[in-house]
């Protein structure tokens, strides 16, 4: 493990000892529990040894297991040191929410909306928690909201959930 | 005898109003460029100097649907976008024609998934489907020539003077 990775892990470990670093193909991933991930993210941004001043993306992973079903993934980039790290936070399927990180990086606004749209994970304290790509009334016949990137969503969608304009008579 | 000889010898030609209107219509098809994704780049090449759509009177891409005869739907139409495409189509005055350019528009193409309309003929009357991902500008030219033939074969709807206008045949499938 390179010295850069050791620095990042040391900065994260100083916040909470509950971090699990994993290195895979030269990329560093740090698993953090949900009680401490906000502090770890804020520290990684502010610490002069890491300076992760850019949030590149937020997405989620549906592992299709219960109860630890989802991982929310934060992709960070330090423009000054040009190093990257992924932070993964587990989300249980009986508690589908996380606090928002909009106060730490403003760019999180749309990424969190997209994650909500695709997986149905809500972000507490988000200024505008609406759907992003799909229509606001994207639901099946029973009125259940649909989240297309979940593993149990059929690839071709649910017939009738997205209406088409009527075809004109010729 | 060609038109030129008629004009130089007699100074006039006789014809029917219908054929003059059809002739004008077929040689000035103004496209509405509904360029939604990558196919639109080839549609621009179709208007550019090498393929040169102005040879067919179609160089004037109309960015307002109200002055257009021909909608070229070039790109992936999602369910959300389908309402916009339909709205623009409805704003075009009759008679109007529609080319589905590229496999995405014709059948969903490689995007066999939940947000993409699997063929715009589910909500639009399509006259020509152009195969390819993206189709070459020549293929779009062939579709345009096919539409021109279709226009010549139909009676002009604008000059009907209360007569039966005949049916404008839509939904016929050709592959370029
Ligand atoms: S058919 Fe191919 S080139 Fe055309 S819009 Fe679809 S993906 Fe793009």
């Amino acid at each position: 493990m390179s010295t850069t990775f050791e620095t990042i892990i040391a900065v994260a470990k100083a916040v909470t000892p509950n971090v699990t670093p994993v290195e895979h193909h030269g990329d560093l991933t740090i698993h953090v529990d949900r009680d401490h991930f906000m502090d770890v993210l804020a520290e990684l941004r502010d610490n002069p040894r890491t300076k992760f001043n850019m949030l590149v993306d937020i997405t989620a992973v549906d592992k299709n297991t219960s109860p630890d079903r989802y991982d929310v993934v934060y992709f960070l980039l330090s423009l000054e040191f040009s190093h990257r790290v992924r932070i993964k936070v587990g989300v249980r399927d009986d508690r589908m929410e996380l606090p928002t990180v909009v106060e730490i990086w403003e760019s999180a606004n749309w990424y969190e909306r997209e994650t909500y749209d695709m997986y149905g994970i809500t972000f507490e304290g988000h200024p505008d928690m609406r759907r992003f790509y799909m229509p606001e009334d994207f639901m099946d016949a029973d009125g259940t909201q649909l989240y297309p990137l979940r593993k149990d969503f059929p690839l071709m969608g649910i017939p009738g959930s997205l209406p088409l304009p009527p075809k004109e008579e010729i | 005898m060609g038109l030129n000889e008629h004009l130089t010898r007699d100074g006039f030609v006789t014809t029917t109003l219908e054929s003059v209107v059809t002739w004008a219509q077929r040689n000035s098809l103004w496209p509405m460029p509904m360029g939604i994704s990558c196919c639109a780049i080839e549609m621009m090449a179709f208007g550019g100097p090498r393929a040169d759509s102005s040879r067919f009177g179609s160089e004037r891409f109309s960015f307002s649907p109200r002055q257009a005869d021909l909608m070229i739907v070039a790109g992936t139409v999602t369910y959300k976008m389908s309402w916009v495409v339909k709205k623009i189509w409805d704003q075009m005055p009759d008679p109007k024609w529609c080319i589905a350019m590229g496999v995405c528009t014709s059948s969903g193409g490689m995007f066999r998934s939940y947000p993409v309309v699997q063929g715009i003929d589910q909500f639009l009357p399509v006259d020509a489907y152009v195969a390819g991902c993206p189709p070459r500008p020549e293929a779009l030219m062939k579709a345009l020539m096919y539409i021109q033939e279709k226009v010549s074969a139909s009676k002009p709807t604008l000059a009907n003077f209360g007569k039966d206008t005949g049916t404008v045949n839509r939904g016929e499938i050709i592959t370029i």
Side-chain angles (χ1 to χ4, degrees):
Chain A
M1 205 171 272
S2 67
T3 44
T4 317
F5 287 176
E6 274 158 16
T7 315
I8 298 168
I9 294 163
V11 169
K13 277 232 167 90
V15 180
T16 165
N18 294 339
V19 296
T20 323
V22 181
E23 194 189 336
H24 182 67
H25 278 292
D27 287 330
L28 178 65
T29 307
I30 302 179
H31 293 258
V32 192
D33 62 41
R34 62 174 296 139
D35 298 331
H36 296 103
F37 87 98
M38 291 280 279
D39 302 334
V40 171
L41 289 176
E43 179 64 18
L44 284 174
R45 185 195 63 175
D46 295 333
N47 195 301
R49 286 157 68 207
T50 46
K51 284 196 186 167
F52 282 106
N53 49 0
M54 182 172 172
L55 175 68
V56 181
D57 200 4
I58 300 176
T59 185
V61 182
D62 183 359
K63 296 178 286 186
N64 216 3
T65 51
S66 197
D68 299 314
R69 184 157 170 188
Y70 303 94
D71 271 345
V72 174
V73 195
Y74 299 83
F75 295 82
L76 311 185
L77 167 67
S78 161
L79 292 173
E80 186 152 336
F81 301 119
S82 28
H83 50 219
R84 292 168 190 267
V85 68
R86 283 190 292 247
I87 308 292
K88 280 194 182 180
V89 188
V91 174
R92 291 163 58 99
D93 56 3
D94 53 0
R95 195 176 171 199
M96 297 278 293
E97 40 89 8
L98 267 189
T100 177
V101 297
V102 170
E103 289 93 57
I104 307 179
W105 294 279
E106 283 219 22
S107 65
N109 191 321
W110 280 13
Y111 303 147
E112 288 181 347
R113 274 181 65 192
E114 185 187 353
T115 311
Y116 163 67
D117 192 6
M118 293 289 135
Y119 294 93
I121 300 167
T122 50
F123 291 87
E124 297 281 296
H126 190 283
D128 186 23
M129 193 83 274
R130 284 181 298 132
R131 280 187 180 270
F132 195 55
Y133 294 121
M134 306 310 290
E136 229 20 80
D137 56 351
F138 184 40
M139 47 182 91
D140 64 11
D142 311 330
T144 322
Q145 290 281 338
L146 298 170
Y147 300 104
L149 282 195
R150 287 188 182 172
K151 287 286 183 234
D152 50 13
F153 185 84
L155 176 65
M156 289 308 290
I158 292 171
S161 57
L162 288 168
L164 272 177
K167 185 161 179 167
E168 69 188 76
E169 298 299 323
I170 307 154
Chain B
M1 209 183 286
L3 184 63
N4 224 357
E5 282 170 53
H6 260 303
L7 283 173
T8 43
R9 202 189 59 190
D10 305 331
F12 67 94
V13 284
T14 52
T15 178
T16 62
L17 182 60
E18 266 184 7
S19 35
V20 171
V21 172
T22 314
W23 171 79
Q25 240 170 25
R26 69 166 269 167
N27 290 305
S28 64
L29 283 168
W30 284 359
M32 163 74 221
M34 195 70 217
I36 305 171
S37 52
C38 16
C39 265
I41 305 294
E42 291 299 298
M43 185 174 64
M44 289 176 219
F46 158 78
R50 188 179 282 264
D52 200 5
S53 61
S54 65
R55 292 180 290 151
F56 306 94
S58 300
E59 77 278 23
R60 192 233 183 233
F61 280 89
S62 171
F63 289 95
S64 149
R66 299 180 195 251
Q67 286 90 38
D69 310 295
L70 168 70
M71 182 149 88
I72 305 177
V73 186
T76 323
V77 182
T78 58
Y79 281 92
K80 234 180 166 180
M81 194 69 192
S82 63
W83 292 87
V84 179
V85 176
K86 173 78 174 167
K87 199 171 205 168
I88 289 173
W89 171 258
D90 285 345
Q91 289 178 54
M92 285 167 54
D94 267 327
K96 52 192 173 184
W97 290 269
C98 174
I99 294 179
M101 181 186 181
V103 287
C104 280
T105 322
S106 308
S107 70
M110 63 171 155
F111 298 106
R112 191 157 173 73
S113 65
Y114 63 92
V116 176
V117 181
Q118 305 293 305
I120 58 161
D121 47 9
Q122 290 177 36
F123 65 97
L124 278 188
V126 178
D127 293 283
Y129 299 82
V130 188
C133 177
R136 291 189 60 87
E138 292 89 320
L140 190 56
M141 243 150 60
K142 190 171 173 192
L144 181 69
M145 286 154 77
Y146 172 77
I147 301 279
Q148 287 189 328
E149 254 137 56
K150 208 165 186 174
V151 177
S152 331
S154 65
K155 290 188 188 170
T157 37
L158 285 182
N160 59 8
F161 301 117
K163 279 185 286 172
D164 176 20
T165 53
T167 42
V168 181
N169 188 8
R170 294 222 175 94
E172 196 175 300
I173 299 175
I174 58 152
T175 318
I176 307 282

